[in-house]
Every structure is written in structure tokens, then in C-alpha cells.
């Protein structure tokens, strides 16, 4: 089983909204493709699987500017990503989108063909955006590979007749190399090399025996160790580890991340501090007078903050402030402003509202809130390791359900509860959201995504309280995570971010979608 980094896959990416899988994941794919190509890209065709989720959502959820932004060199946290299509056009780039029948191995499947100066396809990669900003490149010029941006790799292709010469060269390098053969050619995948060996390996591209060479640098916030050995991968393992070491929840979160990445505990804490700062800023609502409207729903966060003071409403205490913060973050995501996908852009309002805003209302210090943030990320890693954050894979229960579970556990940490109680609260929060479908009207993360973020915050807070009051949800967190994943896989595709079910197919939902289509280019 693959284990996932907290800051690569859970508390991140830092991105322009609105979708971590459909915009940030695509931007990372585009950037890694550009690095594989090794120079400026002038012409590229992004081909979507016709039965996947991209054809109906690629404009509404920003796949068009995500792929394009990466291909012209933008990282996910660059505010210019949202304008990448226009920027590329002004630069004279020819980047276009089409659809055809591919392999349908993943709902977010795309083939990218990059053309050289002679108008020939020089690079072809088959890609999956797997949820939460993570991605996989699974084919490189028809060879099976695995590139996820977490580790540096070099790919060396030669003819079968020259393979013995190349193999002999690689045996003299302190690195790990594997090979596969296809159509009379051999591809060597080289990894676990140091800086000195990197320069030598890259120089092999000039040897006559090498047909082509491609370099895939690590592009994630935490570069993963070549063969990471995680101290645990799920809640049960974390409990055992905590009992054996006597460490608290936030401390074992640090240990987990250090075990996986080429990083230190101090660097992990710094990442958490940066994440906190960006999240906190994203709770400031966008100005409706100066912020472009990319969807159909007017920005209401700022107005609601002013209205709530003079409006009679159900007394909800800090939950009112947290709800407004969740709305503000989601509106920033919809406005393509910078947010932290935690674990996804479609659920990006939950953690800032639950952990930061509620934490501040309790008078907690920045350090105490960051500890809650780390615990939230740790719980998210269990979900990522054993299930998925992708709504295309397991619907909204994997997005808002996961975020609510993460927030509930983090709140227990900040309230002084035990590790057992944190995991119980996370389990309860996820149980309450099992079966939640993904049906973004018009392919946008506005309706019902904004209100579901608010529901997720309330669910997290009350789940934490109930457990601390003595309620036991009985089903362990690990079993609840597996149940969520099983439900998601059994759910019809119409209810998994394809815009073919739920609110998308109501009369009003259809009318909104049709009005948006008039404004959009079509494949």
C-alpha cells in the first residue's frame, strides 16, 4: 500500500480554486509534462476520455486553465493560473482540448500529446488526476511508468540492440534502475541517485546509444524518500505507535511526515505554519464589487457578515462565525483566489473554519491551533492511504465527509481530548455523511458545495462535543473509512461528479447549466 504525505496530499495543494482534482491536479500534471519535455511547449493537445468526468466539467472546474498553466510553467500557488488560457494564447501557444475513447481506467483520465518544432508528437503521456491535487502519469511514450511528482526520476530509452551498452553504463552509477521492453525498445527508469549522479545521468541523453531521455523532477512540497517506511498507515497503527512512544497526536503527526519525506520536524512545522497563514487569509470574503464572477452565484460572504448582526436567527454561538468563514473560503475558491485544498478545493472551507476560527474563538494560541491542524492532516492521511478524496471516485462523502472527519479529530486535540476520542469523533463525523453524492450544478463548486461545507463544519463540531460528552460511535475510524470507500465505488457514476445526477438534473439545475454553456467553448 502506498502511504501519502500530509502536506502533499491532505493539507494542500495551495492553489487557485475551484477544484483540487480538476484544476490543481491538472496544473501539476501539466507542469510535470513540461519538465519531461525539457523545453518550452509550443503545441499540445489534451485529450479527455469521452466517458470520464473531464468533458462535462473541464471549464467549470478549471481543468482548461489548470493543464494550460502547468504546461507554460506555473505552479499551483501562482495566482496567474486562472488566466493561463489567455496568457498562453498571447504567448502564441497552441494548446487545445478534445475527447475520444481512451482506456477508462480512471474518471479523470487524459492523454497529453506534445508536438516538437517539426509538428511531430515527441512526448505522449497518459495521466490520472487522482483527487486532492495528487496525480499519476502512467504511460510515457507508450511505456508503463509511475510518476507522481513525489520523487525524482530519469527515463532513458534505447533500442534493444543497444540495451546491453546502456545497462553496463547504469551499473556503474550509484542508483536504482529498472527496465521494460516494448516494440524493440528498452526503457530504463532510474531513481535514488544523488546530485553528482544526476548530472552524469542527464548527460547520457547526448550518447548515440540513447534514443531519448526524459527527466521527471519532484514537484511536491515534500519530496518523498525513495523507499519510505511509515511508522503506521491507519488509525489502529497510530494508536499502537502513540502507546509505545508516549507521544501526543500532533507529535506522532510530525513523526509520520518525517518518516516519509526528506525533511525534518522543524521543516514540517514550518509547512504547517505557512498552511495556517494561507488558510487564515482565505477566510476573508472576496469583495463582490471588485472580484470577477466566474460562476452564477453572487458573492454573499461579506454581506452576510454585515447582515448577521441585525438579523434574528437561531442562537448558534461560534458556529455562526465558523459558518461565515467556511462560506468565505469557498467563495474565494469559486473566485479562483488562493486557498488550501484540505483535503480538496470543494471542501476547502471546512478546516479553516473548524480549526482556525473555532480555535481562535476559544482563545487558543497559534501554536495550539497548528497542533490541531497537524492532527487533522494526520487523520486525512489515513483516508488517503486507505480510500480516496476524489469525488469522481467516491462522491462528496470523500470530500466533505473526509474534511469533516479531519476537523472533528483536530477539534478534539484542541479541546484536550485523547487520541481515542479524536479518532472516535472523526469516525462519527464521517458516519454522518456516508452516501453523500457529488452533484455540482453547472460543474461548479457553488451549489451545493458551499452549503455542504457549512454543514460539514457543524457536523465536525458536534461530533467532537458528543464524543467528549461520552458518546461512542462504536465503528472504528479505519472501518468507517473503508465503508465510505466501498459505498463510493458502488455508487452509480451519475452521482460522482459527472453532472449527470442529483441537483444537476433538476429543472433549475439544467437551466443553470444551459445558461453557463452559452458562455463556454465546447469540445
Amino acid at each position: 500500500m502506498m502511504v501519502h504525505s500530509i502536506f502533499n496530499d491532505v493539507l494542500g495543494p495551495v492553489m487557485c480554486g475551484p477544484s483540487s482534482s480538476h484544476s490543481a491536479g491538472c496544473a501539476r500534471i501539466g507542469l510535470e509534462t513540461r519538465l519531461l519535455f525539457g523545453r518550452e511547449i509550443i503545441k499540445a493537445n489534451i485529450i479527455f476520455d469521452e466517458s470520464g468526468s473531464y468533458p462535462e466539467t473541464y471549464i467549470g472546474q478549471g481543468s482548461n486553465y489548470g493543464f494550460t498553466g502547468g504546461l507554460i510553467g506555473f505552479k499551483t500557488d501562482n495566482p496567474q493560473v486562472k488566466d493561463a488560457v489567455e496568457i498562453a494564447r498571447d504567448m502564441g501557444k497552441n494548446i487545445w482540448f478534445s475527447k475520444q475513447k481512451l482506456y477508462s481506467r480512471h474518471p479523470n483520465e487524459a492523454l497529453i500529446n506534445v508536438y516538437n518544432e517539426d509538428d511531430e508528437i515527441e512526448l505522449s503521456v497518459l495521466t490520472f488526476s487522482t483527487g486532492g491535487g495528487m496525480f499519476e502519469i502512467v504511460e510515457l511514450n507508450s511505456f508503463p511508468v509511475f510518476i507522481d511528482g513525489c520523487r525524482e526520476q530519469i527515463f532513458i530509452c534505447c533500442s534493444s540492440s543497444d540495451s546491453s551498452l546502456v545497462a553496463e553504463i547504469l551499473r556503474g552509477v550509484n542508483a536504482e534502475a529498472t527496465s521494460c521492453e516494448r516494440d524493440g525498445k528498452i526503457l530504463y527508469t532510474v531513481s535514488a541517485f544523488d546530485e553528482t549522479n544526476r548530472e552524469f545521468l542527464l548527460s547520457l541523453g547526448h550518447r548515440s546509444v540513447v534514443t531519448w531521455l526524459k527527466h521527471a523532477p519532484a514537484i511536491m512540497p515534500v519530496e518523498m524518500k525513495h523507499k519510505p517506511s511509515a511508522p503506521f498507515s491507519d488509525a489502529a497503527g497510530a494508536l499502537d505507535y502513540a502507546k509505545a512512544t508516549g507521544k501526543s497526536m500532533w507529535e506522532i503527526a510530525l513523526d509520520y511526515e518525517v518518516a516519509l519525506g526528506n525533511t525534518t520536524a522543524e521543516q514540517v512545522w514550518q509547512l504547517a505554519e505557512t498552511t495556517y497563514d494561507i488558510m487564515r487569509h482565505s477566510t476573508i470574503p472576496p469583495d463582490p464589487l471588485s472580484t470577477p464572477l466566474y460562476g452564477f452565484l453572487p458573492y454573499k460572504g461579506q454581506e452576510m457578515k454585515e447582515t448577521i448582526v441585525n438579523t434574528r436567527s437561531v442562537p448558534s454561538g461560534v458556529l455562526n462565525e465558523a459558518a461565515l468563514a467556511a462560506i468565505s473560503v469557498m467563495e474565494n475558491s469559486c473566485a479562483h483566489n488562493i486557498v488550501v485544498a484540505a483535503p480538496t478545493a470543494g471542501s476547502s472551507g471546512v478546516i479553516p473554519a473548524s480549526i482556525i476560527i473555532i480555535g481562535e474563538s476559544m482563545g487558543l494560541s497559534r501554536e495550539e491551533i497548528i497542533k490541531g491542524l497537524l492532527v487533522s492532516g494526520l487523520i486525512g492521511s489515513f483516508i488517503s492511504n486507505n480510500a480516496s478524496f476524489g469525488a469522481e471516485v467516491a462522491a462528496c462523502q470523500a470530500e466533505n465527509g473526509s474534511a469533516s472527519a479531519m476537523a472533528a479529530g483536530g477539534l478534539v486535540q484542541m479541546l484536550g481530548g485523547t487520541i481515542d476520542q479524536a479518532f472516535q469523533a472523526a469516525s462519527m463525523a464521517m458516519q454522518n455523511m456516508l452516501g453523500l453524492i457529488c452533484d455540482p450544478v453547472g460543474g461548479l463548486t457553488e451549489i451545493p458545495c458551499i452549503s455542504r461545507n457549512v454543514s460539514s463544519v457543524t457536523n465536525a463540531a458536534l461530533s467532537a462535543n458528543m464524543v467528549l460528552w461520552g458518546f461512542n460511535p462504536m465503528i472504528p475510524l479505519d472501518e468507517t473509512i473503508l465503508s465510505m470507500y466501498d459505498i463510493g465505488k458502488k455508487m452509480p457514476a451519475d452521482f460522482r461528479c459527472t453532472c449527470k445526477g442529483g441537483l444537476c438534473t433538476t429543472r433549475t439545475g439544467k437551466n443553470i447549466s444551459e445558461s453557463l454553456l452559452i458562455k463556454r467553448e465546447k469540445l
Side-chain angles (χ1 to χ4, degrees), residues 90-101:
D90 292 343
M91 294 171 67
K93 311 290 189 184
N94 183 11
I95 298 172
W96 77 100
F97 300 87
S98 56
K99 63 180 178 179
Q100 67 183 52
K101 185 174 179 57

Side-chain angles (χ1 to χ4, degrees), residues 76-261:
T76 60
D77 60 354
N78 188 329
Q80 290 183 292
V81 168
K82 63 178 177 288
D83 302 314
V85 172
E86 292 77 15
I87 291 171
R89 189 177 297 125
D90 292 343
M91 294 171 67
K93 311 290 189 184
N94 183 11
I95 298 172
W96 77 100
F97 300 87
S98 56
K99 63 180 178 179
Q100 67 183 52
K101 185 174 179 57
L102 297 176
Y103 303 98
S104 299
R105 286 189 278 175
H106 192 281
N108 296 335
E109 181 175 316
L111 178 69
I112 304 179
N113 291 327
V114 182
Y115 293 77
N116 62 20
E117 295 76 7
D118 297 323
D119 208 29
E120 302 167 332
I121 297 175
E122 182 176 317
L123 175 68
S124 181
V125 292
L126 183 66
T127 74
F128 305 151
S129 180
T130 55
M134 301 298 285
F135 72 93
E136 297 173 6
I137 294 176
V138 296
E139 286 188 9
L140 171 61
N141 289 348
S142 298
F143 284 98
V145 296
F146 182 82
I147 304 169
D148 63 0
C150 293
R151 300 166 186 83
E152 184 179 19
Q153 299 175 85
I154 292 175
F155 300 91
I156 302 171
C157 181
C158 65
S159 66
S160 298
S161 59
D162 290 325
S163 61
S164 59
L165 295 172
V166 175
E168 182 63 28
I169 294 171
L170 293 177
R171 276 193 288 269
V173 178
N174 184 21
E176 183 172 303
T178 60
S179 65
C180 63
E181 184 172 5
R182 181 181 176 86
D183 299 331
K185 293 181 179 179
I186 303 285
L187 180 69
Y188 291 94
T189 300
V190 189
S191 56
F193 45 82
D194 59 22
E195 187 172 344
T196 302
N197 286 322
R198 179 194 300 113
E199 295 306 313
F200 172 75
L201 289 165
L202 292 176
S203 72
L204 297 180
H206 302 294
R207 301 280 186 98
S208 60
V209 293
V210 172
T211 306
W212 52 260
L213 182 148
K214 303 296 180 186
H215 181 209
I219 62 172
M220 293 297 191
V222 176
E223 182 176 356
M224 299 284 276
K225 293 176 180 174
H226 178 57
K227 293 182 179 179
S229 178
F232 48 83
S233 61
D234 56 16
L239 279 169
D240 291 342
Y241 182 83
K243 289 173 183 176
T245 61
K247 293 186 175 183
S248 64
M249 284 185 285
W250 70 272
E251 289 175 317
I252 69 173
L254 288 179
D255 287 355
Y256 173 85
E257 195 74 349
V258 170
L260 297 185

Side-chain angles (χ1 to χ4, degrees), residues 222 347 464 496:
V222 176
S347 59
R496 290 187 277 120

Side-chain angles (χ1 to χ4, degrees), residues 16-17 23 26-28 30-31 34 41 46 62-76 78-97 294 336 521:
C16 293
S23 43
C26 297
R28 283 174 166 171
L31 180 60
R34 173 189 172 92
I41 291 175
I46 298 94
S63 304
N64 58 338
Y65 64 71
F67 279 117
T68 304
L71 289 172
I72 63 176
F74 293 161
K75 295 182 178 180
T76 60
N78 188 329
Q80 290 183 292
V81 168
K82 63 178 177 288
D83 302 314
V85 172
E86 292 77 15
I87 291 171
R89 189 177 297 125
D90 292 343
M91 294 171 67
K93 311 290 189 184
N94 183 11
I95 298 172
W96 77 100
F97 300 87
Y294 290 94
H336 303 178
E521 56 189 287

Side-chain angles (χ1 to χ4, degrees), residues 296-297 330 346 396 400 436-442 444-455 502-504:
F296 60 89
L297 203 63
M330 282 301 295
C396 193
N400 274 292
L436 185 60
I437 69 172
C438 180
D439 51 346
V441 173
L444 299 171
T445 50
E446 295 183 341
I447 300 296
C449 311
I450 294 175
S451 60
R452 284 183 183 166
N453 272 249
V454 173
S455 297
L503 296 176
C504 299

